[in-house]
Amino acid sequence: MKLVRKDLEKDNAGQVTLIPEEPEDMWHTYNLLQVGDSLRASTIRKVQTESSTGSVGSSRIRTTLTLCVEAIDFDSQACQLRVKGTNIQENEYVKMGAYHTIELEPNRQFTLAKKQWDSVVLERIEQACDPAWSADVAAVVMQEGLAHVCLVTPSMTLTRAKVEVNIPRKRKGNCSQHDRALERFYEQVVQAIQRHINFEVVKCVLVASPGFVREQFCDYMFQQAVKTDNKLLLENRSKFLQVHSSSGHKYALKEALCDPAVTSRLSDTKAAGEVKALDDFYKMLQHEPDRAFYGLKHVEKANEAMAIDTLLISDELFRHQDVATRARYVKLVDSVRENMGTVRIFSSLHVSGEQLGQLTGVAAILRFPVAELSDQEDESSSEED
């Protein structure tokens, strides 16, 4: 993402002009947009024209509109973003108050104005414009007959290819059908890797599977690479890292990212940091439940006691339509940072973010034990009696 201009007033009202450069920038933009914001961007509008003879025709014209945002639709697989709203600035083709849907496109600038830019949104812009924040991990999660080729970016897990091949069982005295199908499956996975993984950017490719599938696949891939003199695979051989996973489904990627060999290799990536933080939370919940809270009420109570060491919060909560509820989450994040706590904002498009979403989307690891909220409520109710 490229920041072209930033005009913010003292009361944090103002506008920002940005140019999305990669598909992932659309996800960042989706998280910046809220209902009630004003968005100015180039778009195509179908306009009816009347000729001097009275015949009516229609043509598609590119024009720049300013909309008051009413609805936002994001397609996570295609990374497409559509914003619907009413026109709030005079335009020769579109009447004031008329509805229009802008499809934001990569490499086309847009200007976003808000009445209030909070700390979470401003931090998101900083991250999106930081070049060190781009995808540097790829993963192939596989089992016999099924493979997912994924890109793990700092803010989302993208499934780039799914390979499915029906593999017959081994028959006594005749394994040829099984072996041929397996070879065909491996070949398709190799092609998917070459097509979807950019080795100039990716610093590590995880190959995860149950059993010996990953070893057999890597042996096959590099034998074929030597035979065909495939320089791309041979030069990047050191980037492939084999790890265990329970299956070839996408959710098994979390297990692969938790592997100690992987976390040491990916120590500087945000995805690995998120997985480790969630893992630490689960361990704390198991061994010291008084130091692991989840749910907004409980976490806010712990924050009042300045007890939060690490706050885990899903970015989904900041897309809440109710301004007061959103402000409550932003206030929590700011307060934890003021008290020298660490804040980890999880992406809801990551496997770890999906898991955090099942825990209400907000959780905290505490510095010291705090009495459970439910215990305090019980005490207060018994005092009343």
Side-chain angles (χ1 to χ4, degrees), residues 85-341:
T86 50
N87 184 31
I88 54 170
Q89 212 170 72
E90 204 63 60
N91 183 286
E92 61 175 303
Y93 303 112
V94 185
K95 283 187 275 189
M96 290 279 284
Y99 276 94
H100 184 78
T101 300
I102 290 178
E103 188 170 311
L104 291 176
E105 303 167 12
N107 302 312
R108 275 196 194 280
Q109 79 172 36
F110 65 88
T111 301
L112 181 62
K114 286 177 182 284
K115 293 187 180 83
Q116 174 76 35
W117 288 85
D118 58 52
S119 59
V120 173
V121 175
L122 292 171
E123 187 188 6
R124 165 95 43 188
I125 291 176
E126 265 179 52
Q127 289 176 1
C129 297
D130 180 0
W133 216 253
S134 53
D136 50 8
V137 183
V140 183
V141 194
M142 64 196 305
Q143 63 189 49
E144 276 198 7
L146 174 69
H148 286 83
V149 178
C150 307
L151 288 180
V152 184
T153 76
S155 54
M156 61 209 291
T157 305
L158 290 166
T159 304
R160 278 283 168 248
K162 182 181 179 183
V163 180
E164 275 185 293
V165 172
N166 185 28
I167 297 181
R169 284 184 179 181
K170 285 183 179 177
R171 301 265 171 92
K172 200 173 180 181
N174 181 16
C175 300
S176 60
Q177 272 189 313
H178 171 271
D179 293 347
R180 274 203 304 272
L182 202 57
E183 199 170 304
R184 196 167 68 248
F185 167 62
Y186 288 161
E187 183 53 43
Q188 287 182 26
V189 177
V190 172
Q191 285 172 7
I193 288 172
Q194 290 176 284
R195 195 177 307 122
H196 297 290
I197 296 176
N198 179 0
F199 285 99
E200 287 176 22
V201 179
V202 168
K203 63 167 80 162
C204 179
V205 183
L206 306 178
V207 183
S209 78
F212 298 104
V213 178
R214 55 187 181 276
E215 284 97 334
Q216 290 166 358
F217 167 70
C218 286
D219 289 347
Y220 171 84
M221 177 167 60
F222 292 116
Q223 280 170 13
Q224 291 299 313
V226 170
K227 277 183 193 172
T228 57
D229 194 24
N230 187 326
K231 286 190 172 66
L232 181 72
L233 291 175
L234 293 173
E235 284 170 8
N236 291 285
R237 187 170 189 160
S238 60
K239 291 183 180 179
F240 285 83
L241 184 64
Q242 296 178 27
V243 286
H244 172 78
S245 71
S246 58
S247 75
H249 295 277
K250 187 183 164 184
Y251 66 79
L253 184 58
K254 181 188 171 288
E255 300 163 30
L257 288 167
C258 275
D259 191 292
V262 176
T263 44
S264 63
R265 184 96 167 249
L266 311 180
S267 54
D268 56 340
T269 70
K270 181 172 179 274
E274 284 180 6
V275 169
K276 187 183 181 302
L278 194 63
D279 207 36
D280 289 347
F281 173 78
Y282 279 124
K283 281 177 186 166
M284 192 67 81
L285 193 63
Q286 200 174 356
H287 302 298
E288 289 184 71
D290 283 353
R291 284 183 59 200
F293 279 18
Y294 62 92
L296 185 58
K297 250 188 188 174
H298 288 71
V299 171
E300 281 180 329
K301 197 78 184 168
N303 186 47
E304 282 169 28
M306 293 186 175
I308 295 178
D309 183 42
T310 307
L311 177 70
L312 288 62
I313 190 162
S314 170
D315 62 8
E316 202 166 10
L317 302 177
F318 300 112
R319 294 198 294 275
H320 205 285
Q321 297 297 342
D322 180 41
V323 177
T325 308
R326 182 193 155 86
R328 197 173 161 188
Y329 290 121
V330 173
K331 187 182 170 190
L332 176 65
V333 167
D334 290 344
S335 176
V336 170
R337 283 187 175 139
E338 279 167 25
N339 297 331
M340 308 306 288

